[in-house]
Amino acid sequence: MRSQAMFFKARVGEKLADAVLQSNLRKAKGKFVDARAAAIAAYGGDFEALRDAGTAIRDRVLQDLDIWLERFESTATAQGARVLWARDGAEIARLVVDIASRHGVQKVVKSKSMLSEEAGLNQALRDAGIAPVETDLGEYILQINDNEAPAHIIAPAFHKSKEEVSDLFERTHRRPRQEDIQAMTREAREVLREHFLSADMGISGGNFLIAETGSVALVTNEGNGRMVTTLPRVHVVITGIEKVVPTLEEFATLMRLLPRSATGQSISNYVSVCTGVKQAGDLDGPEHLYYILVDNGRAGLVGGEFQEMLRCIRCGACMNHCPVFQTLGGHAYGWVYPGPMGAVLTSLYTGIGNALDLPHASTLCNQCGSVCPVRIPLPGLLRQLRQAQTDGGLRPWSERFALKAWAWIATKPWLYALAARLGARYLRWLADGGDRIQVFGLAPEWTEGRDLPAPRGKTFRDLYAERRRR
């Protein structure tokens, strides 16, 4: 799956040519954007101050990440849980299969977990003879659709139309076709309820780990997370090492940011804080609880130039506002995480050489940076990745030569002015008296699918010189 990030350009053409996908994306476009704007407008306090507080909490954790992880391990263990550590996706899969084998597990129900996607966990379970069942509605839709990958970290099946899901349910469930959304949801609930009651093990992600109580916090809108964490006798939490927060109070602060940024809600429908194993007198809960805390490239970012990326709380606001993501959808990015945050994370976690195009899959318009609830400077990080690719000789020689030539010209004002005049004349010549350039001579691929506006009037330098003379 990681190698797929190398073929971004090839998938761009494929996604743009997919009429059904483009229609679905147009219908979805702006819904999360409008909902977020409304939620922030309705917030009673200073939302920018809240963003500052959330940023400070995440930075506080990252400054002493090892200490907070040890604190979490100690308190979670005291509550009857077992804390395991995984270096990468392969170790996640091995640990989960070992746990399932130890407890005689034959079926696993899963709440949404991006870490399990990083690990390719479902395939590992199937290879071990264990049946995984996704219970998040979006993830379930994708699973029964030939195990399709999620296209969004919050709304995995946002690229599917109601009609596509209706066809899929009719074909898979072998029930009369339903076209009403409530009826379709009820049908999925009826099918999944059997799995909840018969599963031996539940697997969940974790939005946050709370160090002072040894708890995992799950944020969902469907309630499946509570079924996964309370009904099976074994519960396995898989989450990244950066998800720890010190206290419940700081968790509450971040919860004022997460749902507003993700889905435009003041609070999600279900917020669960799970602590320890089932005790005498408890009506539900797991008899065995395991935390698998995952590195998979995260520890290497601590203390480095990309540490700010670890502040991410996985709200998806950056991709919801990104014009590139809105046009292509999530699958074009080729790995677990799409959009601006995915372009950074995929490059960092899988290696810059395995994702050469992703740092360039951005206009650097800063819509992502301006809406990030914990102020991650995503455009700046993308520029740093571009610089790292250039410095490492990973970009084409023609591109590197052009950048060096540009830098040389830009440091010589007289030469820059001359180049600007000659460039403007060349572009006007290409336009042949019109206001559009139909074929851009030096880079014709730029105008294969669009015209380029021709320059109008005088250059900025000429206008500025006239103003000074006046």
Side-chain angles (χ1 to χ4, degrees):
M1 185 137 185
R2 294 187 174 190
S3 63
Q4 294 302 308
M6 298 180 66
F7 305 112
F8 175 76
K9 284 186 177 179
R11 283 192 302 275
V12 165
E14 173 190 324
K15 302 306 178 185
L16 290 175
D18 187 332
V20 174
L21 173 65
Q22 289 300 311
S23 175
N24 294 343
L25 292 177
R26 282 192 295 270
K27 292 175 184 177
K29 185 177 181 179
K31 291 183 178 179
F32 284 128
V33 174
D34 294 342
R36 176 189 178 276
I40 291 173
Y43 179 66
D46 184 343
F47 193 73
E48 295 307 306
L50 181 61
R51 291 176 71 192
D52 289 338
T55 302
I57 291 170
R58 299 301 294 133
D59 282 341
R60 178 189 173 201
V61 167
L62 296 174
Q63 287 170 4
D64 296 300
L65 184 59
D66 54 342
I67 294 174
W68 293 115
L69 287 171
E70 289 177 359
R71 173 79 182 278
F72 173 80
E73 181 180 27
S74 175
T75 52
T77 302
Q79 298 290 342
R82 184 175 176 187
V83 179
L84 307 173
W85 305 83
R87 285 181 291 268
D88 52 28
E91 193 159 13
I92 294 172
R94 182 183 63 78
L95 289 171
V96 172
V97 170
D98 284 350
I99 293 168
S101 299
R102 188 180 314 133
H103 293 283
V105 170
Q106 295 182 330
K107 180 191 291 185
V108 169
V109 285
K110 295 177 69 219
S111 181
K112 189 151 64 67
S113 166
M114 301 312 294
L115 259 297
S116 75
E117 297 289 341
E118 285 188 42
L121 182 58
N122 283 1
Q123 186 59 52
L125 289 169
R126 286 191 290 267
D127 291 344
I130 301 165
V133 179
E134 297 286 356
T135 66
D136 173 271
L137 182 56
E139 294 276 6
Y140 172 71
I141 289 168
L142 298 179
Q143 184 180 34
I144 63 176
N145 190 43
D146 297 327
N147 296 301
E148 185 179 353
H152 193 292
I153 63 171
I154 299 297
F158 90 113
H159 61 298
K160 297 291 186 186
S161 68
K162 181 183 72 172
E163 292 71 26
E164 287 178 296
V165 176
S166 181
D167 291 340
L168 180 63
F169 278 12
E170 181 184 24
R171 185 170 63 250
T172 305
H173 299 160
R174 301 186 183 279
R175 296 188 182 190
R177 179 184 174 85
Q178 301 284 354
E179 295 188 354
D180 176 72
I181 291 177
Q182 289 186 343
M184 293 163 64
T185 304
R186 186 180 306 111
E187 181 177 316
R189 186 187 301 121
E190 290 170 356
V191 171
L192 288 171
R193 184 60 56 93
E194 178 185 345
H195 293 299
F196 285 127
L197 295 174
S198 60
D200 308 294
M201 185 165 84
I203 295 177
S204 75
N207 292 92
F208 300 103
L209 301 171
I210 302 166
E212 74 170 346
T213 60
S215 309
V216 59
L218 300 176
V219 182
T220 72
N221 273 321
E222 299 174 16
N224 64 306
R226 290 190 176 177
M227 305 286 275
V228 165
T229 60
T230 58
L231 290 179
R233 54 192 172 86
V234 182
H235 176 202
V236 178
V237 180
I238 308 172
T239 193
I241 56 174
E242 82 281 13
K243 292 295 187 69
V244 66
V245 297
T247 66
L248 283 167
E249 182 178 357
E250 287 163 308
F251 161 66
T253 298
L254 292 170
M255 277 305 300
R256 294 184 179 94
L257 285 168
L258 177 57
R260 287 182 171 89
S261 301
T263 54
Q265 298 169 278
S266 60
I267 191 68
S268 296
N269 291 341
Y270 297 89
V271 179
S272 305
V273 179
C274 305
T275 308
V277 297
K278 184 177 182 180
Q279 301 294 325
D282 289 346
L283 299 179
D284 54 31
E287 299 171 14
H288 307 277
L289 173 60
Y290 297 86
Y291 289 100
I292 300 179
L293 306 188
V294 184
D295 177 3
N296 207 24
R298 291 157 173 80
L301 304 184
V302 177
E305 59 181 335
F306 294 103
Q307 175 176 294
E308 290 169 302
M309 195 62 227
L310 293 177
R311 290 205 296 255
C312 180
I313 59 174
R314 302 295 193 270
C315 68
C318 61
M319 61 187 68
N320 294 337
H321 290 73
C322 175
V324 177
F325 178 86
Q326 289 174 346
T327 304
L328 299 176
H331 289 152
Y333 292 81
W335 198 50
V336 177
Y337 304 107
M341 56 87 79
V344 177
L345 289 177
T346 302
S347 300
L348 296 175
Y349 290 171
T350 73
I352 293 177
N354 294 321
L356 289 177
D357 293 327
L358 293 189
H360 302 264
S362 170
T363 64
L364 300 184
C365 65
N366 197 37
Q367 288 202 61
C368 54
S370 65
V371 299
C372 176
V374 288
R375 301 193 186 280
I376 299 172
L378 286 161
L381 298 182
L382 289 168
R383 282 193 292 269
Q384 287 175 243
L385 288 169
R386 294 181 185 186
Q387 183 67 53
Q389 288 183 352
T390 301
D391 293 344
L394 298 175
R395 301 303 303 169
W397 72 267
S398 56
E399 180 180 310
R400 287 181 279 131
F401 174 79
L403 289 171
K404 287 182 179 179
W406 170 256
W408 185 72
I409 292 171
T411 57
K412 296 170 177 59
W414 68 272
L415 189 56
Y416 182 88
L418 177 61
R421 290 194 183 94
L422 293 176
R425 289 180 183 177
Y426 174 67
L427 292 174
R428 292 192 188 99
W429 176 76
L430 288 176
D432 194 24
D435 61 355
R436 296 278 173 176
I437 299 170
Q438 295 182 344
V439 179
F440 188 42
L442 296 177
E445 65 274 9
W446 278 28
T447 49
E448 284 181 357
R450 62 180 180 240
D451 291 342
L452 188 69
R456 300 178 183 179
K458 299 178 181 180
T459 66
F460 171 80
R461 295 178 66 89
D462 290 337
L463 292 171
Y464 186 71
E466 286 183 4
R467 179 174 178 177
R468 292 195 65 182
R469 284 195 296 269
R470 290 197 302 268

